[in-house]
Amino acid sequence: MKKTIYLLVMLTVIISSCQKKNTIRLGELDLSKIEQGWNTVHINTNLSDSTLSVNGMKYAEGICTHAISEIEIILNKNTTRFTALVGVDDKVAKVNGGSIVFIVKTDGKEVFNSGIMRSNESAKAIDIYLKGVQKIILITSDGGDGTHHDHGNWLEAKFEYTGAIKPSVYYYGGEDKFILTPKVSEIPRINGAKITAARPGNPFLFRVPVTGLKPITVTAENLPSGLVLNEKTGIISGKVSKAGAYIVKLKAKNSKGECIRNLKIVIGNKLALTPPMGWNSWNVWGLSINEDRVKAAADYLESTGLADHGWTYINIDDGWEADARDANGILTYNSKFKDMQKMADYIHSKGLKFGIYTSPGELTCGKFLGSFNYEENDARTWAAWGVDYLKYDWCSYGEKAKNQSLAEYQKPYITMNNALKNVNRDIVYSMCQYGMGNVWKWGSEVGGHLWRTTGDITDTWLSLWSIGFDQQDTLAKYAAPGAWNDPDMLVVGKLGWSNNIRDSRLTTNEQYSHITLWSLLSAPLLIGCDLTQMDEFTLNLLSNDEVIEVNQDVLGKQASPIYTSGDIKILMKELEDGSKAVGLFNLGRDTINVNFDLKLAGFGNKVKLHDVWRQSDKGIYESVYTTRIPRHGCEFLRITKPE
C-alpha cells in the first residue's frame, strides 16, 4: 500500500512538473533568417541600434522588423498564450513616418489585426490564447502604401508554454534549381519585340535579337530611308526624317537554316511601344557602381546571348554623379567613371542602349546631386553623352513639394519632360515616385513612358507577393503601348545592393512565379543581378523567348485576375494573335491542386493548351484543366481555340 501511495505521489510530481508554465521571449527564438523588407530583425533595439520606442514610450525588450515580414513559429500544441505590444518605432516619426498593419494568424486563421498603425500612435496590446494551436504567424504588413519607413516593433512579446518543448521558428528548407526552358535551337530565330519606335530626325538604334548557330547573317527589306543595317552584327542605325509606320522584312540565315519575321518601325511621337528590357545596376551594386562594372554588364549581356533574346538597356542607377556642378551649372560624373560619352559609345557599338539616373530634388536617394533647377542643363548633357533612358527618382523632392496635391506630384515630372522634349535625342522616361497620387492615372499625361506603382522590391516572397500580386490587380486599364505600370526591377540571380553579392533569397519556384507574373503584367523587365556571375538556371530563366514574347506582345495589354480563391490566383492577358496567356499561381505554403475552369478563357468549353515555360503543347482540354502546383509556384499557359 505504501509503495502504491509513493508511486502516485511521484506520478503527481512528474505531471505537475510537466504542466509547469514556462516563458520564452520572442527575441530568444532564432530569428537570424527571417526575411523582411529591409535590414534584419533587431533584438532589443530598433533598426538603427537605439532604444525601442513607440509614441514616446521606451521599451527595454522586444524586436524591431521592417515590413513586409513574417515570423512563422511552431508551437507543437503545448504553447498556451502569446502576449505583446505592437507599434511603429519612433525612429521614423521625424522622417516620413511609417504605416504598418500587424497581423497574427493561428493555424491559418487571422486572430488579430491592428488596423493601419502610424508613427506617434500608442502601442496596441495582443493577448492570444493558444491551447491546442500548432502554428502561429506574426506578420508586419505595409498597409498597402509601400514599405518606406515601415519599422515595426513587437514589444515585450513572449510565449507561455508547458513541458520541455519550446516554441521554435520554422524555416522553409528551399528547393533545388530546375530548368524548364528548352535548349536554344541552332536554326536562326528572330526574337524580342516585333515593333520599335523613334521620333523623326532623332538617332535610331535597333539590334535585331536573333539566336542560332553563329555566324548569322541578317538582311532587311523595305528599310525606311535614312536607316542602314550591318548584316554581320544585325544592328540597324541612322535617322528617319519622315513620320510613318514602316514594315521591314527581316531575314536571319546561317548554316542550319533561315527565318523571316516582320519588324514594324514607327516614326512618330511615341516611344517604348513594348516594355523596356535590359539591366539596371542598383539591385546588385547599389552606390558602388563604376565604369568597369557597367562595361562588364554590356559585355555579358552580349556574350551570354541575352542580347539575342531582346535584352537591350544598360542602365546606371544612383552613384555616378560628381560632388559639384561646374561654373556653367553642368553636372558631370565622379572619379569612378572615366568618360561617360565614350562609355555610351561602347554600349551603342554593341547595338545596346544606355540609361542613367537622377532625382528632381537637390539630392538623389543616395545623397548625390540631383537635377533641381538644372533640368534643361542635365537633359542637354545626357543627350550629348548619348543617353537613351532616364530613371527620375522622387527622393529629396518631397522637401520641395508644397503639399501632397496632384499638381505637386506632377510638377517635377512635367518640368523634366519639357526638358527632354527639347533635345534631339529619344530618351525613354521612367518616373520613379512609388505610386503616389495614383500615378498610373496620369503618368502618360506628363510624358512618362513607365512609372513605378509601388515601393522598392526586395528578394523575398512577401515583397514579391505584396508588390506583384496584391498591388497590381486594378491597374491593367492604365497600361498601353508607350505607357507601362512598373512594379520595380527583377530580383533573380546574384544580388546585393552593395559589394556583398549573394544569391537571391527567392526559391526556384518563386523565381519562376516572379518572371511569369512580370511577363503577364507587361512590366518593364530590368535585370538586377551581376551578369558576370550568372549561373545556368538564371540564364535560362531570362532567355525563354516564349515568356518574353508574352511580355513584349504588340497589343500591350496587362493581365488581370480572372479567378481568386484562397491561395489560388489566376491571371489572364490578351495577345495580339487572339490567344490568351494565363498564369496559374499558388500563393500558399503547401502544394495544392488547381482546377482551372476553361470557360474563363472565353473560348468556350474546349481549348488547346500550350506550356509557355516548356515551349510545348499540352493538348486539347474540355471543361476543366487540373494541375498540381508547388508552394509559391505557377504554371504558365497559352490558350487558343482548337482548329
Side-chain angles (χ1 to χ4, degrees):
M1 183 68 178
K2 289 182 179 180
K3 185 175 181 181
T4 301
I5 293 173
Y6 173 77
L7 290 173
L8 288 172
V9 170
M10 290 300 295
L11 182 60
T12 301
V13 170
I14 292 171
I15 293 173
S16 176
S17 174
C18 290
Q19 295 300 316
K20 180 182 177 182
K21 288 186 177 180
N22 301 307
T23 300
I24 187 169
R25 296 183 179 89
L26 178 59
E28 294 178 298
L29 302 180
D30 177 14
L31 304 175
S32 61
K33 298 178 183 177
I34 294 298
E35 296 180 353
Q36 59 182 38
W38 177 77
N39 211 303
T40 57
V41 173
H42 278 42
I43 299 170
N44 299 333
T45 69
N46 63 22
L47 298 186
S48 299
D49 297 315
S50 54
T51 304
L52 294 164
S53 176
V54 174
N55 198 27
M57 291 286 294
K58 297 186 182 299
Y59 298 86
E61 191 272 318
I63 71 165
C64 187
T65 64
H66 193 295
I68 299 170
S69 71
E70 282 190 10
I71 304 173
E72 187 171 339
I73 301 164
I74 304 301
L75 305 178
N76 296 312
K77 295 186 178 181
N78 65 340
T79 305
T80 57
R81 189 182 183 196
F82 172 70
T83 58
L85 297 166
V86 293
V88 179
D89 193 84
D90 285 340
K91 176 65 180 179
V92 297
K94 294 181 180 179
V95 191
N96 293 319
S99 58
I100 294 177
V101 177
F102 295 87
I103 299 169
V104 179
K105 293 183 178 181
T106 58
D107 290 343
K109 180 181 179 182
E110 185 176 298
V111 294
F112 175 83
N113 186 310
S114 68
I116 294 180
M117 298 188 68
R118 304 184 188 278
S119 303
N120 301 318
E121 290 185 18
S122 298
K124 292 185 178 181
I126 299 175
D127 191 343
I128 299 173
Y129 180 69
L130 295 174
K131 188 68 175 178
V133 173
Q134 297 185 66
K135 181 169 65 176
I136 187 171
I137 304 175
L138 311 179
I139 302 169
T140 54
S141 172
D142 65 357
D145 61 356
T147 61
H148 282 298
H149 310 295
D150 286 353
H151 298 201
N153 293 336
W154 298 81
L155 305 161
E156 299 176 355
K158 60 182 181 293
F159 295 92
E160 292 179 2
Y161 67 99
T162 59
I165 302 177
K166 302 176 182 178
S168 60
V169 177
Y170 172 77
Y171 292 112
Y172 181 68
E175 304 155 351
D176 292 332
K177 292 180 178 178
F178 54 90
I179 290 173
L180 298 180
T181 303
K183 186 178 179 181
V184 175
S185 171
E186 292 186 340
I187 300 171
R189 186 184 195 276
I190 299 173
N191 307 306
K194 297 179 181 178
I195 190 169
T196 189
R199 293 191 173 104
N202 286 353
F204 179 94
L205 182 68
F206 182 85
R207 173 179 174 139
V208 179
V210 56
T211 51
L213 182 67
K214 300 293 194 287
I216 300 175
T217 300
V218 179
T219 57
E221 296 179 13
N222 304 320
L223 273 178
S225 177
L227 297 186
V228 294
L229 167 67
N230 184 319
E231 295 186 356
K232 292 183 178 179
T233 64
I235 297 172
I236 303 172
S237 60
K239 295 179 181 179
V240 182
S241 59
K242 186 178 179 181
Y246 302 88
I247 305 299
V248 178
K249 184 178 179 181
L250 299 174
K251 180 186 289 186
K253 185 176 182 179
N254 68 3
S255 61
K256 299 294 182 178
E258 65 179 33
C259 70
I260 296 173
R261 193 171 85 166
N262 287 342
L263 172 68
K264 188 175 184 179
I265 297 177
V266 179
I267 305 299
N269 292 321
K270 283 191 173 184
L271 301 176
L273 298 182
T274 61
M277 293 177 59
W279 175 87
N280 179 284
S281 63
W282 184 252
N283 287 355
V284 58
W285 299 122
L287 297 175
S288 67
I289 187 60
N290 59 45
E291 182 168 327
D292 289 341
R293 287 171 172 171
V294 175
K295 285 185 174 180
D299 291 342
Y300 275 79
L301 202 67
E302 183 176 48
S303 66
T304 59
L306 285 173
D308 297 329
H309 297 279
W311 300 89
T312 300
Y313 288 93
I314 297 292
N315 294 348
I316 304 174
D317 210 282
D318 205 355
W320 61 268
E321 307 89 335
D323 293 333
R325 293 176 180 272
D326 67 16
N328 297 314
I330 304 301
L331 176 62
T332 188
Y333 34 89
N334 57 42
S335 60
K336 296 185 296 180
F337 295 86
K338 304 179 186 70
D339 188 315
M340 202 68 82
Q341 185 172 346
K342 287 184 178 179
M343 188 177 70
D345 290 342
Y346 181 79
I347 292 169
H348 291 152
S349 72
K350 299 174 179 291
L352 305 176
K353 296 184 178 181
F354 172 48
I356 210 159
Y357 165 103
T358 192
S359 169
E362 291 184 348
L363 296 175
T364 66
C365 292
K367 309 304 180 185
F368 289 80
L369 286 180
S371 290
F372 184 71
N373 280 341
Y374 291 94
E375 293 85 357
E376 293 283 350
N377 278 10
D378 290 352
R380 286 193 295 268
T381 297
W382 299 327
W385 288 348
V387 168
D388 305 292
Y389 183 110
L390 170 64
K391 178 180 175 182
Y392 208 42
D393 197 345
W394 180 266
C395 299
S396 67
Y397 190 81
E399 301 169 7
K400 301 294 181 184
K402 297 175 183 177
N403 50 51
Q404 295 182 344
S405 67
L406 181 59
E408 287 297 294
Y409 283 140
Q410 292 178 338
K411 182 179 178 180
Y413 293 97
I414 292 173
T415 301
M416 179 53 78
N417 180 54
N418 290 335
L420 294 175
K421 287 195 299 186
N422 288 332
V423 299
N424 294 321
R425 186 166 190 87
D426 294 339
I427 299 179
V428 170
Y429 191 18
S430 170
M431 297 166 49
C432 183
Q433 53 85 280
Y434 315 105
M436 296 183 296
N438 296 330
V439 63
W440 43 86
K441 294 183 178 180
W442 49 266
S444 62
E445 295 176 13
V446 300
H449 299 109
L450 55 149
W451 41 81
R452 282 280 295 281
T453 56
T454 67
D456 290 353
I457 195 171
T458 59
D459 56 327
T460 68
W461 172 253
L462 292 171
S463 178
L464 175 60
W465 169 82
S466 174
I467 285 175
F469 290 105
D470 193 44
Q471 298 183 52
Q472 307 299 318
D473 283 357
T474 61
L475 306 186
K477 63 183 178 181
Y478 303 106
W484 308 107
N485 295 311
D486 179 8
D488 205 8
M489 297 171 286
L490 302 177
V491 282
V492 300
K494 289 191 178 293
L495 310 166
W497 291 267
S498 67
N499 287 307
N500 301 312
I501 309 303
R502 54 165 174 76
D503 287 327
S504 172
R505 291 176 291 178
L506 295 179
T507 66
T508 298
N509 278 301
E510 289 168 356
Q511 292 188 58
Y512 276 112
S513 290
H514 181 18
I515 303 301
T516 299
L517 180 59
W518 261 235
S519 176
L520 286 164
L521 292 176
S522 298
L525 299 178
L526 291 174
I527 302 167
C529 68
D530 182 2
L531 298 180
T532 71
Q533 298 188 60
M534 195 163 48
D535 61 11
E536 184 182 7
F537 166 76
T538 306
L539 178 60
N540 278 267
L541 192 68
L542 298 171
S543 57
N544 188 308
D545 293 307
E546 292 193 12
V547 173
I548 292 170
E549 279 182 3
V550 172
N551 175 266
Q552 295 288 294
D553 188 71
V554 173
L555 196 59
K557 295 280 189 177
Q558 176 175 320
S560 294
I562 57 172
Y563 179 84
T564 302
S565 177
D567 293 328
I568 301 171
K569 189 158 192 168
I570 302 177
L571 284 84
M572 186 168 73
K573 173 178 177 175
E574 297 177 37
L575 302 175
E576 181 198 23
D577 66 356
S579 65
K580 308 284 181 68
V582 173
L584 314 177
F585 296 93
N586 173 10
L587 308 185
R589 292 178 171 83
D590 303 303
T591 298
I592 57 174
N593 287 326
V594 175
N595 298 311
F596 174 32
D597 181 354
L598 296 173
K599 290 193 295 294
L600 293 174
F603 292 131
N605 203 40
K606 183 184 292 187
V607 300
K608 181 179 180 181
L609 300 183
H610 179 83
D611 188 318
V612 177
W613 277 109
R614 293 176 175 84
Q615 300 180 1
S616 62
D617 289 335
K618 297 182 72 68
I620 307 297
Y621 287 79
E622 291 189 49
S623 302
V624 176
Y625 171 68
T626 299
T627 186
R628 194 158 174 79
I629 299 181
R631 164 195 174 103
H632 299 170
C634 70
E635 192 159 333
F636 196 2
L637 302 173
R638 195 156 179 161
I639 304 179
T640 55
K641 290 188 68 172
E643 296 177 357

